[in-house]
Amino acid sequence: MIRRCVTLLLLICQQLQAAECIAVNAEQPLPGKTADWTIAAIELQRNDIFDLNKKHVVWFHYLANDYHVITSEQAIRDDLLFQTGQRLDPALLNETERLLRSRRYLRHAEVSVSHYCPADNTVKVKVSSWDNWSLLPKISLGHEGGETKTNLGFAEDNLWGTGNQLMVEYFSDSERHGYKTRFLSPNISGSHWQTALQYADNSDGETYQFRLNKPFYQLGSERSYGFEVFKDIKDISEYQRGDVYNEYQSKVQYLSVDTGWKLSQQGHTVQRLSVGVKLDDRHFSANEYSTLPPPPDRDLSQVWLGFEWFESNYQKLHNFYLFNRVEDINFGWQFGARVGALSTSLGAYSAGMQYQLFLNKTWAVGQSSWLVLNSDLNLLDATKLPQQRLFNTQLRYIKHLSDNQVWLSQLRVAMGDNLFRDERIAIGGDEGMRAFPLYYQTGDKAIIASSEYRYITPWHVYQLFDVAIAAFVDAGRAWDNPDQQIELDQGRLYGYGIGLRLLPSHASRGSIISIDLSKPVTNNPELSGWRWRFIAKKEF
């Protein structure tokens, strides 16, 4: 009896000793090597949309929290790249944090060790998430670049708290009007497979898409898979000085199957190899508004081989592309190359080769300045087509003048030869030169330089919008269009303006809403005076 009591007391003492865990903060290092610790427990802390303890809380904050379905524990756990019983790897914690922050239904996420227990060399990991409002009625009337855009419908980016997306809308813009439905699952049952289904019934045709893929969702992913089928029938307009002068119908049928492998990994750098088959058939025909013959049909079906070099060197910054948000910026090198062999057995109209390259890099220039480079090159050499080249590069400079003042500048250069008519470069409106109408200039070549000063105000409108005030100037030109007929305004374009930048701080569609009053510098009498522009974009 005495022996049993002693044994029981020893067990109780061991359990009490093991339960003596020490709380730590995110910046506090663990004693010893992190690899010596094992994850014993994972705690989820799910936070609702609005903080009801802040100032200026009113009735709709309570209403939103009450009727919003908070992201489920299962949806959060499905995205975790670690599990209990696994050795602690801080890199996986950081990757999980970035993955969660990339989900549009989450405003913010933090993953860190909350406790360590020296008795058994275990740790507790805390995963904190903050939800966005995800049910968004799409009722908007926008005017941008001389054209009016209308959207009516709804988008649910966190369907019943599962992280799935559903959208139904009616839309109308300068090109077409119609109805569109879309469903997206970013992580099917924690498998990291993704799927997307879309159908659109447009005034000029229809579109459907089905995609099922498993990407390299983390640095150490061993395999990737992809399948996509896409069909799109629509009318394409050709512009001069923002006015339509010709239309024709385009019919695209596309199918892609691919897979990829991790070749090797050294620390935070990984090399990957991918291979795939792509069927890409495009037909063009005249419609009732055609004034010129349509472009020739083409088929670029091919077998391709790709290589990727990816270096992970992320930092958490603020006021980079957005404002008042944590942004995960990768300072590592990213390089990729793809070689495709056009195959007549797959349907291509001629034999040939297609080469694609891309390079992305961000540098810190001093303590409060950054330089971002994004470049890509596309070469097409087919026996029955003119040799085609397109080089795109975008250089961005971001300077923090103070905690609430940002200067953003960018230079975009696009140099092409023999581009397809439906893929020519356009500037104006969405594509830079904000004071000019959409598609104001088109051609095989373009240069745009833009600069924007942004003052981030302390105004937070009922936790709904963060507000910034902006002033900007643009200069640019598109040229080398063999179909160009009007000579007016074919030289360099200039424009300037002022505006507001509104960032929906608690909504899943967290694009910057730009409301601009701008003035073009032009010899076109139709564009004299000030113009207003209203558009939502993910970044500057």
Side-chain angles (χ1 to χ4, degrees):
M1 183 68 178
I2 295 175
R3 184 180 297 175
R4 291 181 179 177
C5 290
V6 171
T7 303
L8 181 60
L9 287 172
L10 288 174
L11 289 173
I12 292 173
C13 290
Q14 290 176 358
Q15 290 177 354
L16 289 174
Q17 187 180 16
E20 291 179 357
C21 298
I22 302 171
V24 295
N25 58 47
E27 289 76 26
Q28 182 178 346
L30 292 171
K33 297 180 179 178
T34 55
D36 295 336
W37 299 91
T38 301
I39 300 174
I42 300 172
E43 176 193 357
L44 301 186
Q45 184 184 68
R46 298 172 298 142
N47 297 280
D48 222 325
I49 305 170
F50 294 109
D51 185 350
L52 302 181
N53 295 317
K54 286 191 174 182
K55 294 181 180 180
H56 308 299
V57 171
V58 296
W59 60 269
F60 64 78
H61 296 116
Y62 292 94
L63 184 67
N65 281 2
D66 287 341
Y67 285 92
H68 169 72
V69 179
I70 196 168
T71 305
S72 67
E73 285 196 7
Q74 189 59 52
I76 299 293
R77 290 189 184 277
D78 284 347
D79 277 339
L80 302 185
L81 304 178
F82 55 88
Q83 57 188 354
T84 56
Q86 181 178 326
R87 289 291 182 183
L88 177 64
D89 185 350
L92 288 182
L93 270 58
N94 293 332
E95 274 196 281
T96 299
E97 191 175 276
R98 292 193 296 270
L99 178 59
L100 290 172
R101 273 200 293 266
S102 71
R103 303 305 190 198
R104 61 172 51 184
Y105 50 84
L106 296 180
R107 185 172 79 257
H108 185 54
E110 294 178 356
V111 181
S112 61
V113 174
S114 62
H115 295 80
Y116 71 93
C117 312
D120 55 1
N121 279 1
T122 61
V123 296
K124 298 179 181 178
V125 176
K126 184 177 182 180
V127 180
S128 302
S129 61
W130 288 260
D131 266 31
N132 272 323
W133 177 257
S134 56
L135 178 59
L136 300 173
K138 303 194 74 174
I139 305 174
S140 65
L141 177 64
H143 189 80
E144 198 282 324
E147 299 292 343
T148 299
K149 299 181 179 182
T150 304
N151 291 85
L152 298 171
F154 74 89
E156 171 56 79
D157 290 330
N158 196 4
L159 191 63
W160 298 308
T162 62
N164 297 322
Q165 301 173 24
L166 177 66
M167 182 193 70
V168 178
E169 72 169 338
Y170 165 81
F171 65 91
S172 175
D173 57 28
S174 62
E175 296 290 323
R176 62 192 55 83
H177 63 271
Y179 299 88
K180 179 164 59 177
T181 61
R182 177 179 174 84
F183 174 80
L184 172 65
S185 180
N187 189 356
I188 304 173
S189 302
S191 64
H192 296 285
W193 280 88
Q194 304 174 350
T195 188
L197 299 94
Q198 177 175 302
Y199 177 77
D201 184 9
N202 307 323
S203 56
D204 53 3
E206 65 175 0
T207 299
Y208 65 75
Q209 177 192 30
F210 172 72
R211 188 182 77 241
L212 180 66
N213 68 299
K214 185 177 184 179
F216 291 112
Y217 60 90
Q218 67 178 106
L219 188 67
S221 294
E222 296 290 340
R223 293 295 303 270
S224 72
Y225 305 91
F227 172 80
E228 181 179 9
V229 59
F230 174 76
K231 181 180 179 180
D232 185 29
I233 302 175
K234 64 181 181 182
D235 289 336
I236 293 181
S237 300
E238 294 184 304
Y239 291 80
Q240 289 184 146
R241 292 194 306 164
D243 296 325
V244 177
Y245 72 90
N246 182 47
E247 286 189 11
Y248 56 88
Q249 187 178 77
S250 164
K251 181 179 180 181
V252 177
Q253 297 184 91
Y254 179 90
L255 185 145
S256 175
V257 181
D258 61 79
T259 186
W261 300 264
K262 181 178 75 173
L263 290 179
S264 64
Q265 182 176 352
Q266 300 86 31
H268 298 289
T269 303
V270 64
Q271 294 84 43
R272 297 164 177 154
L273 186 70
S274 299
V275 62
V277 177
K278 179 177 73 172
L279 307 182
D280 187 357
D281 187 20
R282 298 169 188 258
H283 290 266
F284 305 97
S285 59
N287 64 17
E288 58 181 315
Y289 301 106
S290 297
T291 59
L292 296 173
D297 297 341
R298 65 179 184 270
D299 192 311
L300 301 181
S301 298
Q302 60 188 261
V303 179
W304 59 266
L305 180 69
F307 171 79
E308 180 186 14
W309 171 291
F310 183 87
E311 181 185 7
S312 176
N313 182 17
Y314 283 90
Q315 295 183 29
K316 290 186 282 189
L317 297 176
H318 291 79
N319 304 332
F320 203 81
Y321 298 125
L322 305 174
F323 55 95
N324 293 346
R325 287 279 183 93
V326 174
E327 300 178 65
D328 296 298
I329 307 299
N330 187 12
F331 285 79
W333 288 92
Q334 300 171 64
F335 167 79
R338 178 185 289 190
V339 179
L342 275 62
S343 171
T344 55
S345 61
L346 293 175
Y349 293 166
S350 63
M353 301 294 294
Q354 186 171 25
Y355 307 93
Q356 296 170 290
L357 302 170
F358 77 85
L359 174 66
N360 300 324
K361 182 70 172 79
T362 300
W363 295 272
V365 185
Q367 300 214 345
S368 58
S369 303
W370 299 271
L371 198 62
V372 184
L373 173 67
N374 301 106
S375 294
D376 61 80
L377 175 66
N378 193 323
L379 302 174
L380 178 62
D381 189 3
T383 55
K384 296 182 181 180
L385 291 171
Q387 191 175 65
Q388 185 183 103
R389 304 179 187 87
L390 177 59
F391 173 70
N392 267 303
T393 189
Q394 186 177 60
L395 195 62
R396 296 179 179 178
Y397 177 73
I398 300 167
K399 170 71 174 176
H400 285 184
L401 303 174
S402 67
D403 289 342
N404 61 348
Q405 297 183 80
V406 183
W407 177 30
L408 310 100
S409 297
Q410 67 179 12
L411 174 67
R412 178 193 168 196
V413 179
M415 293 292 167
D417 289 308
N418 301 314
L419 301 185
F420 298 123
R421 268 174 60 187
D422 56 309
E423 294 182 351
R424 287 205 176 110
I425 305 158
I427 68 172
D430 289 354
E431 304 301 329
M433 300 309 304
R434 289 167 275 191
F436 288 83
L438 291 163
Y439 314 108
Y440 192 74
Q441 287 183 347
T442 58
D444 284 358
K445 299 173 176 64
I447 295 180
I448 301 176
S450 301
S451 189
E452 178 172 309
Y453 165 80
R454 190 176 289 171
Y455 173 73
I456 302 166
T457 75
W459 305 332
H460 307 284
V461 184
Y462 290 102
Q463 300 186 52
L464 297 179
F465 295 98
D466 293 343
V467 182
I469 300 172
F472 61 89
V473 293
D474 300 326
R477 182 192 177 199
W479 73 97
D480 193 15
N481 185 344
D483 299 313
Q484 193 69 54
Q485 298 176 354
I486 300 177
E487 295 299 326
L488 187 66
D489 263 352
Q490 293 310 305
R492 287 185 293 271
L493 304 177
Y494 302 93
Y496 58 90
I498 57 174
L500 287 177
R501 302 291 177 263
L502 305 178
L503 180 65
S505 56
H506 290 70
S508 57
R509 301 290 170 113
S511 302
I512 292 181
I513 300 171
S514 297
I515 305 172
D516 294 329
L517 186 64
S518 60
K519 188 175 188 347
V521 179
T522 173
N523 57 0
N524 184 350
E526 297 178 2
L527 298 183
S528 61
W530 291 84
R531 306 168 62 82
W532 69 277
R533 171 182 182 267
F534 182 15
I535 186 174
K537 299 185 73 173
K538 289 299 293 182
E539 56 188 41
F540 169 75

